[in-house]
Amino acid sequence: MPEAASVPAAAALIGDSEFDRDTAVVRREPGVYDIDLSAGWTIISAVNGGYLLAVLGRALADTLPHPDPFSVSAHYLTASQPGPAVVRTETVRTGRTLSTGQASLFQYDADGNEVERIRVLASYGDLGALPDDVRTTAVPPVIPPLERCLGPEDGPAPVEGSSAITDRLMLKLDPATLGWALGAPSGKGEMRAWFGLADGRDADPLSLLLTVDALPPTAFEIGLTGWVPTVELTVHVRRRPAPGPLRVSITTRNLAGGFLEEDAEVWDSEDRLVAQSRQLARVRLG
């Protein structure tokens, strides 16, 4: 197993937020980064997929000449665990407005064999250089005021160690999508919430990669329980978010053969659509 690196990546640390510290990568050599995946972003014992995407996104931001993720597609191959990991990146193409790269995260099994956990292909650009013209039929989700929505602290105490990630989030769910928590799921496959980081760090393009995968699964409101692991997740970052809490809307329209899709939209405090995503997830039926 390789020793930890000591040369910090240029994009490794951009603030004193827990999110920044826990996604900071250390450049061992060009295209190779080390990180200790934090247990603070786990659900049960598995590391959250959005947190992992932000880790790889930070490594790619250091590798590529453009600063911001535009389109990021990830395939989750095996469940990641807290602890040491290696990220390997490669520049696929560099253009004037977009650059494309790929990245993979590896960990080691009990026998010391390297195991690939997640593989990403991404295009990066400069969101600040985009024109202001917007033509859309999309509208922000209708969510009650933040003070009328409910968070984990408003329910019974969770089982210790069941969801460490909730302590790092400001998450206030629309009561209309909370039937599952009361034993009466609506069956609609919808989840809506106000969202932010618990330490008050404002959202940026990198943290949006976490945001799209941080709400409870829509499967809960369909009436299913248990872990819903992500198979594939694609995120489109549309613009830099304004300061303030985000609004997130996630819907599922089709569950078939033990798989469902989740379509997410993220809106900022100025009513602008700042990110979209679609993921394919596996569910346990019966």
Side-chain angles (χ1 to χ4, degrees):
M1 191 175 300
E3 297 180 358
S6 58
V7 181
L13 196 60
I14 59 173
D16 197 35
S17 165
E18 189 170 19
F19 172 80
D20 293 321
R21 294 194 301 271
D22 289 347
T23 58
V25 292
V26 178
R27 190 194 305 122
R28 187 195 312 170
E29 59 187 72
V32 181
Y33 302 84
D34 291 295
I35 185 170
D36 193 40
L37 297 178
S38 170
W41 303 88
T42 56
I43 300 174
I44 310 300
S45 60
V47 182
N48 171 263
Y51 163 72
L52 292 171
L53 203 57
V55 168
L56 274 74
R58 198 178 287 285
L60 281 166
D62 184 66
T63 299
L64 299 173
H66 292 94
D68 301 317
F70 273 35
S71 179
V72 182
S73 295
H75 285 263
Y76 294 81
L77 308 177
T78 54
S80 299
Q81 305 298 322
V86 176
V87 177
R88 295 195 177 94
T89 64
E90 177 185 346
T91 299
V92 177
R93 179 186 180 275
T94 298
R96 188 164 59 91
T97 58
L98 288 175
S99 54
T100 301
Q102 61 184 13
S104 291
L105 184 143
F106 300 87
Q107 290 187 304
Y108 294 88
D109 64 18
D111 297 322
N113 300 311
E114 194 173 70
V115 179
E116 187 174 9
R117 303 295 195 193
I118 174 174
R119 184 177 296 188
V120 163
L121 184 66
S123 291
Y124 273 55
D126 184 355
L127 290 166
L130 297 181
D132 292 329
D133 183 41
V134 176
R135 310 178 197 192
T136 182
T137 59
V139 294
V142 178
I143 303 178
L146 195 147
E147 61 272 13
R148 289 171 48 197
C149 292
L150 302 173
E153 67 279 4
D154 298 310
V159 177
E160 185 174 354
S162 64
S163 188
I165 190 174
T166 58
D167 294 334
R168 278 135 198 94
L169 306 178
M170 188 290 294
L171 187 62
K172 291 287 188 177
L173 292 159
D174 183 343
T177 66
L178 265 176
W180 58 273
L182 304 174
S186 68
K188 294 181 179 179
E190 298 176 347
M191 203 67 64
R192 293 184 297 274
W194 294 92
F195 181 88
L197 292 171
D199 60 13
R201 178 198 191 274
D202 281 323
D204 66 3
L206 189 69
S207 72
L208 291 175
L209 302 182
L210 164 72
T211 303
V212 298
D213 193 44
L215 270 61
T218 55
F220 289 179
E221 198 61 352
I222 295 175
L224 304 175
T225 59
W227 189 35
V228 186
T230 302
V231 176
E232 187 271 343
L233 172 61
T234 294
V235 185
H236 296 158
V237 178
R238 307 307 301 269
R239 52 192 309 158
R240 297 181 188 276
L246 302 168
R247 283 161 293 170
V248 185
S249 172
I250 305 180
T251 59
T252 291
R253 296 193 304 164
N254 189 55
L255 186 157
F259 292 85
L260 57 76
E261 89 289 343
E262 287 192 339
D263 290 313
E265 291 184 352
V266 183
W267 295 78
D268 72 4
S269 59
E270 297 183 357
D271 286 346
R272 302 180 307 175
L273 181 63
V274 294
Q276 300 166 277
S277 73
R278 166 166 282 197
Q279 72 169 276
L280 182 70
R282 181 165 51 88
V283 298
R284 290 182 294 182
L285 300 175

